[in-house]
Structure formats: structure tokens, C-alpha cells
């Protein structure tokens, strides 16, 4: 069988290829001379499988796509409070290089615009690092996200530094507000090296997949940053990642994303996929023209919008029936799939309807593949309240979906591997009582 996904990717690339609108970034001379025809797209699944089409192994500089990852490093190296004290999380609705700071505090509005990202660079690694050590920490961290050692492009770095007046102006403003406490020139130098890290479309897809996979790189298995950091980063990518196009992006594509002026674009869909595209011609916002079209296609073809409504929670209760009769009758709620709060609420409704005369009740988890924390607590509370109402509660749980279930406070559950066992236990109990 021919592989389906690379064929699909090649087809979509073919559809956008003829669009030659936009221009490569002009303000960094070395980027202006990039081959504008390059085009590639890659999907990295959270199990590490990578699919691609086009120029997915060509290196280019990461540029602003480094921002969410270095934000993640700063949050995990310093903790949330010191970082949030210096950089906000509000969309600016302005261009990436706007000189915009909060009027009273001088705090950059968010970590995705240059003012925020320059500040965030200074917050990566321990406080006492010198500028070279800080760049090492950043490159090492970016490499952990990619799962391979990344290098910088010296020519692009030098070319951007020659024309870095705007970023230097931003850094001096930040210094004057004491948001930056180090030498502004050294911080811009480090930030520009960070932006000059060389990546391929394949690397970017894997970096995005690491975010989609709760901070664990799907290939190396390394937990690069904690899960709480990933949630913060994806949220900020969703509201601020596409600069002044963030609202259009959120409604039309609906995938937390980040673009870079070298033509890269990434998206991370939690729990599912990391996506990356590469095409150097940019629109007026500094986002890749063909990249934006590709993401619009991916989102609508595959239903990847994060606000896409998931399957109804009612499907969690697969069946609600009684097995056997008389005193050994057993009320069985057979559950299935992944259970979150709304699914657990369906179980509450079914459990409330159980008649007091049906003494034996089983929650059958045989077909359940995941139970999140709130659902686990609700199921245990159901068991506790049923016990208090005089029911005998069984948990059919052959795969230990709910290890060591303890409903607490007067609740009791008997864990069995299958329903036959629940029957036998009841028969033994009944026999014991009778004798
Ligand atoms: N290094 C670039 C800059 O600071 C990154 C901008 C971008 O990719 N949007 O201008």
C-alpha cells in the first residue's frame, strides 16, 4: 500500500505551489537572498512517526519560532512568577517588532513579540549565567525540543546584527524600565544567536510535537519542560503567536502556532500532532504566505481546530442493564472510551436512577482507555454514595484503570477482573449469609 499521508501532503503542496505572492524578509539581507521557491510540510505524531513532503530536510534559521520554546525554558528554569513579573500574556495586536511596552511598568505585553522575547532570552537558565553560557543553555534547550543538536547560522546572525538597530532600541527601552537588568547589547546579541539556530521542517515538526506531547520529545522520550509550562506556552501561542493576525488565525485555523521570518511556521495540536511548514515568502504580518494557506487546508481537511467539539460525552455509558435475577441480580453500567468531567457526569445521572432494591451495582471499566483525575474522583464519589445507600459496589477493572480505588468516608468497592467473578463473590457472600 502506498503511504496515505505523504501523498496527501504532496497534493496539498501542489495546490499552493503556484502562489508566489509575498516577499522573503528584506530587513535581514542574508534572508532576502534565500531561495523563495523552497516548500515543505511535515507532520510529527506524538508517537514519533514523521510524515513529510517537499523540502523537509533543508536547513533555515528558526527566527521567531524560537520564542515559544525559549519562553518554555525560562518558565521551567526560573518558575512562573519571576517570568510573569517581567513579561505579560496579553495579545498586542501589533507587529512583531513594535516598540510596545505597558505604559506604567515597561513590561512587554507578551513573549511572542520581540520586546517580550528579548526579555525572555535574558531569563533562560540560571540568573548568574554570562551571555555565552546563556546562549549555550538556549541552544541546548532548543536542541532537546528538536531531539538533535542544533547549530547556528553565523552568516544570518552577523547579517541581522548589522541591522539590529530596532531590537537594540527595544532592549535599551527595556533596560531603562529595569525589565532588562543586563547589558542590552549583550542580550540582543544572544537573542539574535537564538534566532539564528538552524532547523529543518522535520525538526520544527518534532519540536511542535514535543509541545503537543505534554513536553516529552516523542523520539528521545526526554521530558524537556514540565506539563504546566507546556499549557502556558500553548495558550500564549494561541492568543499571540501570529501577531496582528492572531484573531484571524484563531478563528480560521485554530491551532496554537508560531511563525518565523525565515519562512517557517509551526502548529501544535495538544495530544495529536506537531505540524511544520517552510516557504520563505511572507505576507504583511511577517507570516509565510504559503504556510498560512497550508495550515488553513490542514485544519479544514482534518478537523484540527482546537475548538472542534469532541464526540458527545453520552457515549461514555455504553450500556446500562441488569444481569441475572433475584438476589444475585446485578446492575451493570458498562463504560467506554476516555472519561473526563462531562463523561463522569453522565455516569452520575445513570447512577442516581438506580433503584435501592437493586443491591448489587457494577461499574464496568473493561472498555475504558483513559480516566482523567476529575473523572476518577467523581467515579469514586459515586461508589461512596452508593455504598452509603446500601449498595454493594463492584469495579470491573481488569487493566487497573483505577488503581487502589479508595472512595473514603464509608465507601467501599470490590475490584474484580470480570463480571463472572462479581457473580461468584455475590454467591459466596449470599451462601455465607445463608449458612
Ligand atoms: N530575529 C528576528 C527579529 O528579531 C525574528 C523575527 C521573526 O521571526 N518574526 O526581527
Amino acid at each position: 500500500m502506498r503511504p496515505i499521508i505523504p501523498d496527501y501532503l504532496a497534493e496539498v503542496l501542489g495546490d499552493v505551489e503556484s502562489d508566489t505572492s509575498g516577499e522573503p524578509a528584506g530587513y535581514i539581507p542574508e534572508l532576502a537572498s534565500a531561495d523563495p521557491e523552497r516548500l515543505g510540510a511535515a507532520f510529527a505524531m506524538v508517537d514519533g512517526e514523521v510524515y513529510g513532503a517537499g523540502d523537509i530536510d533543508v536547513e533555515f534559521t528558526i527566527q521567531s519560532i524560537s520564542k515559544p520554546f525559549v519562553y518554555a525554558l525560562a518558565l521551567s528554569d526560573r518558575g512562573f512568577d519571576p517570568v510573569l513579573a517581567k513579561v505579560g500574556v496579553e495579545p498586542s495586536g501589533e507587529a512583531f517588532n513594535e516598540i510596545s511596552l505597558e505604559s506604567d511598568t515597561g513590561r512587554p505585553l507578551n513573549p511572542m513579540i520581540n520586546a517580550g522575547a528579548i526579555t525572555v532570552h535574558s531569563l533562560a537558565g540560571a540568573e548568574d549565567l554570562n551571555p555565552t553560557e546563556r546562549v549555550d543553555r538556549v541552544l541546548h534547550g532548543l536542541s532537546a525540543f528538536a531531539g538533535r543538536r542544533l547549530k547556528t547560522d553565523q552568516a544570518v546572525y552577523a547579517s541581522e546584527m548589522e541591522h539590529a538597530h530596532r531590537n537594540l532600541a527595544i532592549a535599551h527601552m527595556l533596560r531603562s524600565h529595569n525589565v532588562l537588568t543586563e547589558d542590552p547589547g549583550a542580550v540582543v546579541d544572544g537573542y539574535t544567536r537564538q534566532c539564528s539556530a538552524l532547523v529543518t521542517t522535520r525538526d520544527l515538526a518534532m519540536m511542535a510535537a514535543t509541545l503537543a506531547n505534554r513536553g516529552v520529545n516523542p523520539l528521545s522520550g526526554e521530558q524537556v519542560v514540565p506539563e504546566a509550562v507546556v499549557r502556558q506556552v500553548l495558550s500564549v501561542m494561541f492568543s499571540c503567536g501570529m501577531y496582528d493576525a492572531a484573531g484571524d488565525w484563531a478563528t480560521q485555523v485554530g491551532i496554537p502556532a508560531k511563525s518565523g521570518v525565515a519562512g517557517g511556521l509551526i502548529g501544535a495540536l495538544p495530544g495529536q500532532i506537531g505540524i511544520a511548514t517552510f516557504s520563505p515568502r511572507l505576507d504583511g504580518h511577517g507570516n509565510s504566505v504559503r504556510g498560512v494557506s497550508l495550515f488553513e487546508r490542514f485544519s479544514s481537511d482534518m478537523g484540527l481546530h482546537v475548538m472542534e467539539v469532541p464526540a458527545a460525552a453520552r457515549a461514555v455509558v455504553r450500556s446500562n442493564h441488569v444481569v441475572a435475577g433475584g438476589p444475585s441480580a446485578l446492575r451493570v453500567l458498562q463504560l467506554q472510551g476516555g472519561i473526563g468531567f462531562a463523561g463522569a457526569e453522565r455516569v452520575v445521572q445513570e447512577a442516581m436512577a438506580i433503584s435501592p432494591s437493586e443491591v448489587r451495582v457494577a461499574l464496568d471499566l473493561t472498555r475504558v482507555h483513559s480516566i482523567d483525575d476529575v473523572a476518577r474522583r467523581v467515579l469514586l464519589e459515586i461508589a461512596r454514595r452508593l455504598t452509603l445507600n446500601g449498595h454493594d459496589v463492584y469495579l470491573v477493572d481488569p487493566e487497573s484503570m483505577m488503581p487502589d480505588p479508595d472512595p473514603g468516608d464509608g465507601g467501599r468497592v470490590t475490584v474484580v477482573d470480570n463480571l463472572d467473578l462479581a457473580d461468584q463473590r455475590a454467591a459466596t457472600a449470599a451462601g455465607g449469609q445463608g449458612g
Side-chain angles (χ1 to χ4, degrees), residues 27-28 31 61-67 96-97 112 114 117-118 156 160 166-167 191-192 194-196 243 258-264 282 285-287:
Y27 73 104
I28 303 174
L31 289 184
T61 52
I62 189 168
Q63 298 299 339
S64 284
I65 303 171
S66 62
K67 291 171 180 175
F96 68 90
N97 57 1
M112 301 293 126
N114 286 10
I118 290 168
V156 172
E160 181 165 5
R166 201 178 172 93
N167 284 339
Y191 162 78
T192 309
Q194 162 191 325
C195 290
S196 304
Y243 313 117
K258 189 71 205 77
S259 63
V261 286
L282 309 180
H285 305 289
N287 300 327

Side-chain angles (χ1 to χ4, degrees), residues 157-236:
Y157 153 75
S159 172
E160 181 165 5
M161 274 316 283
E162 267 182 53
H163 303 267
H165 308 298
R166 201 178 172 93
N167 284 339
L168 285 164
I170 292 172
H172 280 282
M173 297 238 324
L174 292 166
R175 180 70 189 86
S176 78
H177 285 282
N178 262 324
V179 173
L180 276 188
T181 50
E182 296 167 26
D183 170 39
V187 178
V188 169
D189 184 89
Y191 162 78
T192 309
R193 289 180 195 273
Q194 162 191 325
C195 290
S196 304
L198 281 166
V199 288
T200 64
T201 310
R202 181 192 297 275
D203 292 328
L204 288 179
M206 192 55 68
M207 295 175 81
T210 302
L211 293 178
N213 194 36
R214 303 187 158 104
V216 176
N217 181 297
L219 282 184
S220 69
E222 180 184 349
Q223 179 89 48
V224 182
V225 292
E227 220 174 309
V229 164
V230 171
R231 196 181 68 177
Q232 176 81 3
V233 170
L234 289 173
S235 306
V236 173

Side-chain angles (χ1 to χ4, degrees), residues 51-354:
Y51 301 100
D55 301 318
I56 65 164
D57 292 310
V58 172
E59 288 191 321
F60 53 94
T61 52
I62 189 168
Q63 298 299 339
S64 284
I65 303 171
S66 62
K67 291 171 180 175
F69 297 101
V70 178
Y71 183 49
L73 298 176
L75 288 167
S76 56
D77 290 346
R78 300 281 178 101
F80 277 62
D81 289 347
V83 176
L84 289 171
K86 299 231 165 193
V87 183
V89 290
E90 297 304 331
S92 67
E94 289 172 334
F96 68 90
N97 57 1
E98 198 58 46
I99 308 186
S100 60
L101 307 177
E102 269 176 13
S103 52
D104 45 345
T105 58
R107 208 170 63 133
L109 288 161
N110 68 66
M112 301 293 126
I113 55 172
N114 286 10
I118 290 168
T119 308
V120 164
H121 177 86
S122 77
L123 297 170
E127 229 171 307
D128 55 1
L129 297 187
N130 67 38
T132 312
E133 292 167 334
R134 179 112 45 235
V135 170
D136 280 350
R137 162 63 186 136
V138 164
L139 284 175
H140 194 267
L142 292 174
S143 301
F145 275 108
R148 127 183 133 86
R149 186 80 193 130
L150 303 177
K151 297 200 267 299
T152 53
D153 185 321
Q154 289 301 323
V156 172
Y157 153 75
S159 172
E160 181 165 5
M161 274 316 283
E162 267 182 53
H163 303 267
H165 308 298
R166 201 178 172 93
N167 284 339
L168 285 164
I170 292 172
H172 280 282
M173 297 238 324
L174 292 166
R175 180 70 189 86
S176 78
H177 285 282
N178 262 324
V179 173
L180 276 188
T181 50
E182 296 167 26
D183 170 39
V187 178
V188 169
D189 184 89
Y191 162 78
T192 309
R193 289 180 195 273
Q194 162 191 325
C195 290
S196 304
L198 281 166
V199 288
T200 64
T201 310
R202 181 192 297 275
D203 292 328
L204 288 179
M206 192 55 68
M207 295 175 81
T210 302
L211 293 178
N213 194 36
R214 303 187 158 104
V216 176
N217 181 297
L219 282 184
S220 69
E222 180 184 349
Q223 179 89 48
V224 182
V225 292
E227 220 174 309
V229 164
V230 171
R231 196 181 68 177
Q232 176 81 3
V233 170
L234 289 173
S235 306
V236 173
M237 284 168 71
F238 196 69
S239 57
C240 314
M242 301 299 280
Y243 313 117
D244 39 345
D248 269 345
W249 184 268
T251 49
Q252 282 166 35
V253 179
I255 300 173
K258 189 71 205 77
S259 63
V261 286
L265 183 52
I266 63 160
L269 198 67
Q272 292 201 51
I273 186 173
I275 303 176
T277 61
F278 173 48
S279 169
R281 290 194 196 86
L282 309 180
D283 63 18
H285 305 289
N287 300 327
S288 164
V289 174
R290 296 193 292 196
V292 170
S293 301
L294 288 169
F295 269 83
E296 284 171 356
R297 269 292 295 275
F298 296 152
S299 175
S300 75
D301 287 355
M302 295 181 288
L304 297 181
H305 198 296
V306 279
M307 300 300 172
E308 203 75 52
V309 180
R314 94 179 295 144
V316 159
V317 182
R318 180 183 167 89
S319 72
N320 177 352
H321 60 276
V322 178
V323 291
S328 63
L330 178 65
R331 167 66 59 182
V332 180
L333 300 186
Q334 191 181 46
L335 313 184
Q336 67 181 358
I339 312 184
F341 174 71
E345 186 274 342
R346 295 297 312 182
V347 186
V348 171
Q349 288 196 36
E350 303 282 343
M352 302 237 314
I354 296 173

